[in-house]
Amino acid sequence: ELLEAYHLLKRVGYRRIGLAVEPTEDKNRRGVYTASYLLWQQRTRQSLPPLSPDAWTIANFRTWFERHRPDVIVMHDTRSVPDWLKNMGVKVPDEVSVFSTNVGETRISGLRADLPGLGSSAVEMLSLLLDRNQLGLSPRPSCWEVEDYWQPGETLSRSIKHYVSDDGTLV
């Protein structure tokens, strides 16, 4: 979904897509934020570097933001980056857009976890394991993916609404 997010943002007209994800989140996800961003950059020949994970402070964010001037920032944490931008006097989405991969409120644009879908998938997986009498840790773990919802929100200056269906999937 991260690669889809970068492509969608580019498709609606963003040219300078920046990445500012808190280091603990990137580490918890085994570097998937940085890896997907660098892969996308390689494919699209964009050269805007992500905010360094060693630089998760407002001072370092300000330096990165002023040096690279992204027109949209992909983030996870919906508090730090918007608070820093507000503290810097930068208006969202007039001066810079923000896209979160962890939307928790309807105002923010980005990806919202399908919590009911996660819950029903967990019950379904547990039911299958019990039907097979598989108890304990599996020697061959499996993974189920539950797609997030795409939420247009209000923090993008360029609309993604016509790319998102009523059920939150990309069209």
Side-chain angles (χ1 to χ4, degrees):
E1 289 179 334
L2 289 171
L3 287 173
E4 287 176 338
Y6 303 134
H7 288 298
L8 175 62
L9 293 170
K10 185 171 181 163
R11 190 178 321 144
V12 298
Y14 291 106
R15 295 293 168 247
R16 300 190 52 74
I17 300 170
L19 177 68
V21 173
E22 64 275 22
T24 53
E25 182 60 26
D26 200 34
K27 182 179 177 185
N28 290 343
R29 301 283 178 118
R30 298 182 176 160
V32 74
Y33 283 99
T34 302
S36 64
Y37 184 71
L38 295 174
L39 176 63
W40 175 78
Q41 279 190 324
Q42 182 182 35
R43 290 179 177 173
T44 60
R45 293 182 176 84
Q46 178 181 279
S47 61
L48 196 148
L51 176 64
S52 170
D54 301 327
W56 197 250
T57 66
I58 188 170
N60 290 328
F61 176 81
R62 181 187 311 268
T63 300
W64 171 82
F65 180 81
E66 290 174 354
R67 179 176 298 145
H68 301 291
R69 288 290 176 193
D71 51 7
V72 63
I73 300 171
V74 175
M75 61 182 186
H76 173 267
D77 179 18
T78 58
R79 291 177 307 251
S80 297
V81 171
D83 286 349
W84 291 343
L85 290 167
K86 184 177 180 180
N87 183 282
M88 293 164 46
V90 178
K91 293 179 178 67
V92 174
D94 299 334
E95 296 176 67
V96 68
S97 294
V98 294
F99 182 94
S100 175
T101 62
N102 184 40
V103 172
E105 61 178 90
T106 56
R107 187 183 85 66
I108 298 194
S109 304
L111 293 168
R112 176 186 283 273
D114 178 5
L115 299 179
L118 288 170
S120 64
S121 290
V123 170
E124 185 178 352
M125 183 183 283
L126 180 59
S127 175
L128 287 171
L129 292 172
L130 290 173
D131 284 346
R132 296 179 188 153
N133 198 28
Q134 291 179 313
L135 305 174
L137 295 176
S138 172
R140 300 185 68 153
S142 59
C143 179
W144 290 22
E145 184 177 358
V146 177
E147 297 276 328
D148 292 338
Y149 294 111
W150 293 84
Q151 178 171 288
E154 303 168 6
T155 58
L156 293 175
S157 63
R158 299 174 183 271
S159 178
I160 62 169
K161 285 182 183 178
H162 71 280
Y163 291 100
V164 179
S165 68
D166 290 339
D167 68 355
T169 57
L170 284 183
V171 290

